[in-house]
Amino acid sequence: MSAPAPSVHALETVDPSLDLMAEISRLRVERKAVILAHYYQDPELQDLADFVGDSLRLSQAAARTDAEVIAFCGVHFMAETAKILNPGKRVVLPDLDAGCSLADRCPADAFAAWLKGYPDHVVVSYINCSAGVKALSDIICTSSNAERVVQSIPAGRKIVFAPDRHLGSWVMARTGRDMVLWPGFCIVHEQFTARRVAQLKAAHPVAQLIVHPECDASVSQMADYVGSTDGLLQYVGTSPAKAFIIGTEAGVLHQMHKLRPEAELIPIPVDSGCNCSLCPYMKLNTLEKLYLALRDLRPEIELDEAVRLKALGPVRRMLELG
Ligand code: 13P
Ligand code: SF4
């Protein structure tokens, strides 16, 4: 897995004597800013955020905020979605290189050319895509509402689903709808293998296996529960089980530990033995970069207004479905 290159902003040094927590608290008030964080962010960023959530909840929070600045501790497509919904607000991302393998490997021009082969299809796109791809879509979904979004499409209509082939396959299995899939994948979830999971299940026979739908079908078919990061958290919070094998980015364990401090939480290790269950893009954001983003109001998300307007409809359609 190749890690993203550090951004220019990331090279700026911050005075080590600064109390970053105090500075961020001061700037948050001065800038009338709200800090949103995804569950895959480092624990210190999750703990200081005004709101922590999955992709759907974060876009709902972005849609209702009255803050003047949105500091998005997440990845580029999430901050871009916040900007699609809030053209009049300044949206900053601590590290502009915090991308996503799904979004990066589905460029809008290639997607537009591919769609020409499916002119009579409804285009459903996972929120992990660029504003350009959203603008070419009929409706957006996240991992927590993908099933509902696809079920909302009248029976008999043909569907294309992009850019995650694993989420697409999982939705096809759940809904019985046939869909044409763009062949994208998440570099983190794709590395969990059925072989590794079988070994873990043998070593922890009473543990529940819970995985994200971005995992390969060979892994999700073995699971006791498949769901978005928020769904996985709710499952851990309400299940009577005392041990869980967790197939998603390991940042989510921070909130799981808070919910169930006594439970055994076992992240799935990847076969290569590296730290690949951590998303290298999500981990580009740091406390220092958040401080700089609030201080300088950059790196800022900027969007072509024509693209933003085209992307807004499909995002709104998703939010209306909930
Ligand atoms: P959710 O937060 O919607 O579960 O998505 C996980 C993810 O990979 C975000 O990039
Ligand atoms: Fe993208 Fe995967 Fe990272 Fe989520 S975990 S931001 S899907 S690369």
Side-chain angles (χ1 to χ4, degrees), residues 91-111:
V91 179
V92 292
L93 180 64
D95 193 315
L96 207 54
D97 289 325
C100 166
S101 61
L102 280 163
D104 295 353
R105 292 179 194 180
C106 185
D109 52 355
F111 189 56

Side-chain angles (χ1 to χ4, degrees), residues 38 40 54-55 77-78 126 128 143 212 214 228-229 282:
H38 189 268
Y40 295 165
D54 70 354
S55 307
F77 75 81
M78 296 178 175
Y126 188 28
N128 298 39
S143 54
H212 197 278
E214 287 175 12
S228 72
T229 47
M282 286 278 182

Side-chain angles (χ1 to χ4, degrees), residues 171-182:
V171 173
M172 278 166 62
R174 300 278 300 180
T175 60
R177 299 294 293 267
D178 195 25
M179 303 196 293
V180 182
L181 306 178
W182 174 273

Side-chain angles (χ1 to χ4, degrees), residues 65-189:
T65 186
D66 55 6
E68 290 177 11
V69 172
I70 300 174
F72 215 119
C73 297
V75 290
H76 193 273
F77 75 81
M78 296 178 175
E80 208 175 47
T81 305
K83 185 69 180 177
I84 289 169
L85 290 160
N86 294 284
K89 297 188 200 302
R90 301 188 75 166
V91 179
V92 292
L93 180 64
D95 193 315
L96 207 54
D97 289 325
C100 166
S101 61
L102 280 163
D104 295 353
R105 292 179 194 180
C106 185
D109 52 355
F111 189 56
W114 184 74
L115 284 180
K116 287 205 170 92
Y118 308 99
D120 51 351
H121 288 55
V122 178
V123 182
V124 181
S125 292
Y126 188 28
I127 196 165
N128 298 39
C129 66
S130 66
V133 167
K134 288 184 175 76
L136 294 164
S137 307
D138 294 304
I139 188 161
I140 302 304
C141 70
T142 74
S143 54
S144 57
N145 63 16
E147 213 180 315
R148 195 174 337 139
V149 166
V150 168
Q151 273 164 341
S152 76
I153 297 165
R157 292 296 311 273
K158 293 185 207 158
I159 304 171
V160 296
F161 187 94
D164 187 355
R165 66 179 180 212
H166 297 307
L167 177 64
S169 301
W170 180 74
V171 173
M172 278 166 62
R174 300 278 300 180
T175 60
R177 299 294 293 267
D178 195 25
M179 303 196 293
V180 182
L181 306 178
W182 174 273
F185 59 89
C186 160
I187 53 170
V188 179
H189 291 86

